Amino acid sequence: PRCYNPAPFGVLPYALNGDGSDLTDRDDDDDDVCDIVRNCSMICGLHPDQATEPIVTLALRLNVPFAILPCCVMPSLFPNRIQKRHGDPVRSYSAFCQYLLDMAPEERKFEVAHLPFVGRNKVIYSKG
């Protein structure tokens, strides 16, 4: 792998919360953030922790492709995550992945792939 300077993609030093409105509707002088987020061609999160679900929500709202490699479930931080099929709280990695897959609206397909390494290598993505 090579590191490029500058990187051929944008990385924002801001937290992603909810549906991303806090980034797309900013009222401060940093209009570049709004433009970058609104005009992004894809949203990607590798081990995104608390931003996992907001990445999916923002990608759906902006109608852009996304790819996430979920890792940490953090059930104590997100006690309101409930499995669609059973109504049980999301507490395990497999339940979290299913919860994310269940976020797909009827008109948009979410897919799963696996990266070639040992460990939590499941990628959930949508081509938009």
Side-chain angles (χ1 to χ4, degrees), residues 36-94:
I36 289 169
V37 175
R38 286 186 200 136
N39 297 308
C40 70
S41 58
M42 178 185 183
I43 303 174
C44 180
L46 304 175
H47 198 312
D49 292 336
Q50 293 97 323
T52 305
E53 188 175 350
I55 287 171
V56 176
T57 304
L58 178 60
L60 290 171
R61 188 166 68 82
L62 296 177
N63 198 30
V64 296
F66 75 87
I68 51 173
L69 191 111
C71 189
C72 300
V73 179
M74 293 183 258
S76 60
L77 285 178
F78 300 99
N80 296 325
R81 285 181 178 157
I82 303 297
Q83 298 177 49
K84 256 188 184 176
R85 296 182 182 158
H86 309 292
D88 294 332
V90 174
R91 298 199 183 282
S92 68
Y93 175 72
S94 61

Side-chain angles (χ1 to χ4, degrees), residues 81-120:
R81 285 181 178 157
I82 303 297
Q83 298 177 49
K84 256 188 184 176
R85 296 182 182 158
H86 309 292
D88 294 332
V90 174
R91 298 199 183 282
S92 68
Y93 175 72
S94 61
F96 185 39
C97 290
Q98 186 59 54
Y99 173 84
L100 295 167
L101 288 167
D102 287 342
M103 290 178 68
E106 288 184 28
E107 68 277 1
R108 190 158 171 186
K109 182 179 179 184
F110 288 9
E111 300 181 56
V112 175
H114 292 86
L115 297 177
F117 58 81
V118 176
R120 293 193 171 164

